[in-house]
Amino acid sequence: MGNFILIPIVIILGLLLLSFVFIVKQQTAAIIETFGRFSSIRQSGLQFKIPFVQRIAGRLSLKIQQLDVIIETKTLDDVFVRLKVSVQYRVIREKVYDAFYKLDYPHEQITSYVFDVVRAEVPKMKLDDVFVKKDDIALAVKAELNDAMLDYGFDIIKTLVTDIDPDAQVKAAMNRINASEREKIAAQFEGDAARILIVEKAKAEAESKRLQGQGIADQRREIARGLEESVEVLNKVGINSQEASALIVVTQHYDTLQSIGEETNTNLILLPNSPQAGSDMLNNMVASFTASNMIGEQMKKTNGKKSEDKK
């Protein structure tokens, strides 16, 4: 009978003992109230309280937390844009009382300040500047939040503008502008490449013509030297210059006819091609040279006579 009475007593004592102690996790602060009035702040570890007199009013995390705020606003060039601002904050260990008792909803308070700052800064900027100066917006938000939330026991670690999302039509227009700019640059590069090809081709053709002309000049010079040597050889055996020239012309004439005959598919036609053609060509050349020399001498005499008459 006595054992049955002891069991409930042990259970009651165990429950009373458990109500005396409680555990606070790492990086957490527990607020203790006595009869509804603030009593103390307990840090991590095993803690004690008076049952039925003291109670745990709440617990606050001392870890760094993040709050993401989405704001829609308008830029200076009348473009509606949505910004995502991430606020990293934590409760100051020495100001747990302020953080717990001065604010009921810290998230809403932080959100209100973020809205206020962003909607004051972004309308001063054009859309392109919003992308470029997003760090300036983040710094402005951090400065405003630090001044406001420090009194409530919150430390603003960092603010980040993590997303800038313009209206869909604006994004499509920006993409078209970007594509047009890239096409313009590509066209410029293609034009420069085509111009370089034309210039280089012209240079190559000019160099080819120069080398071709040089080759022709060298060829003619060698032909003239060969003819000179041939005439000298023929003069040594008693053939005069005119006869030697006629012999060379006739020889070259028949060499050409021979080379034409060796090629079955040649389109070259040699005119004239009679046996006396070489001699006729030489006689015509000599007659032309003689007539040219006579005309030159006559012009010299005429010009000299006119000069004497003027004197």
Side-chain angles (χ1 to χ4, degrees):
M1 186 70 180
N3 291 334
F4 288 104
I5 297 174
L6 289 175
I7 292 174
I9 293 174
V10 170
I11 293 174
I12 292 171
L13 290 175
L15 293 175
L16 287 173
L17 181 61
L18 289 177
S19 64
F20 271 98
V21 298
F22 64 96
I23 296 174
V24 180
K25 293 182 179 180
Q26 185 69 28
Q27 288 293 88
T28 305
I31 292 86
I32 304 298
E33 292 181 349
T34 302
F35 293 118
R37 184 175 181 179
F38 172 75
S39 176
S40 63
I41 297 172
R42 306 294 177 83
Q43 303 297 332
S44 58
L46 183 65
Q47 302 291 339
F48 297 91
K49 65 181 178 65
I50 302 172
F52 308 111
V53 175
Q54 294 179 326
R55 72 181 187 92
I56 301 174
R59 298 173 187 262
L60 286 180
S61 174
L62 302 179
K63 297 178 182 178
I64 295 176
Q65 303 177 64
Q66 178 166 308
L67 174 64
D68 294 328
V69 183
I70 305 296
I71 311 106
E72 184 173 9
T73 185
K74 187 175 70 170
T75 62
L76 183 62
D77 45 355
D78 295 329
V79 177
F80 282 92
V81 60
R82 290 166 59 90
L83 287 86
K84 180 180 179 181
V85 180
S86 298
V87 181
Q88 297 175 352
Y89 67 96
R90 64 184 174 89
V91 175
I92 301 173
R93 188 180 296 271
E94 294 77 14
K95 294 187 176 183
V96 173
Y97 176 89
D98 294 334
F100 186 78
Y101 287 102
K102 286 188 176 182
L103 282 179
D104 278 339
Y105 304 102
H107 287 184
E108 285 77 359
Q109 188 79 2
I110 293 173
T111 300
S112 298
Y113 279 107
V114 172
F115 266 80
D116 183 62
V117 175
V118 171
R119 287 183 171 173
E121 293 293 328
V122 172
K124 301 176 185 177
M125 306 177 183
K126 292 184 178 181
L127 179 60
D128 292 339
D129 294 334
V130 173
F131 285 93
V132 175
K133 299 181 179 180
K134 67 184 186 68
D135 290 339
D136 295 342
I137 299 173
L139 290 175
V141 173
K142 184 177 184 299
E144 183 71 19
L145 283 175
N146 265 333
D147 293 340
M149 300 303 294
L150 191 62
D151 293 337
Y152 299 109
F154 289 89
D155 181 24
I156 307 301
I157 306 299
K158 195 172 185 63
T159 57
L160 301 168
V161 178
T162 56
D163 189 24
I164 301 173
D165 187 20
D167 183 78
Q169 294 181 352
V170 176
K171 287 195 290 186
M174 292 174 67
N175 290 332
R176 289 197 300 270
I177 293 172
N178 188 36
S180 299
E181 288 293 331
R182 292 184 180 275
E183 289 176 0
K184 179 181 177 181
I185 294 172
Q188 289 176 348
F189 277 108
E190 289 176 358
D192 292 340
R195 180 179 60 81
I196 291 172
L197 288 175
I198 293 172
V199 172
E200 293 301 322
K201 184 178 179 181
K203 288 181 179 179
E205 289 180 355
E207 182 66 14
S208 175
K209 295 295 184 182
R210 186 186 69 80
L211 294 175
Q212 183 179 1
Q214 183 177 350
I216 293 174
D218 292 341
Q219 179 185 14
R220 289 175 178 174
R221 188 162 42 250
E222 293 301 322
I223 290 173
R225 185 179 293 112
L227 291 175
E228 182 181 3
E229 293 175 355
S230 299
V231 171
E232 290 179 355
V233 171
L234 293 174
N235 287 337
K236 291 179 180 179
V237 295
I239 299 175
N240 60 33
S241 298
Q242 186 172 357
E243 292 172 344
S245 299
L247 178 61
I248 292 171
V249 170
V250 171
T251 302
Q252 289 181 343
H253 180 77
Y254 284 104
D255 288 343
T256 303
L257 290 176
Q258 182 180 0
S259 64
I260 293 173
E262 291 175 353
E263 299 291 337
T264 56
N265 296 324
T266 183
N267 294 322
L268 179 63
I269 299 175
L270 184 63
L271 294 175
N273 59 0
S274 60
Q276 70 274 14
S279 179
D280 291 343
M281 284 190 291
L282 180 60
N283 292 334
N284 290 334
M285 290 173 61
V286 171
S288 297
F289 289 148
T290 303
S292 177
N293 290 334
M294 292 176 64
I295 292 172
E297 291 295 333
Q298 185 65 34
M299 290 178 66
K300 288 180 181 180
K301 292 179 180 180
T302 303
N303 291 334
K305 185 176 181 181
K306 288 181 178 180
S307 298
E308 292 178 356
D309 293 339
K310 288 181 179 179
K311 291 180 181 180

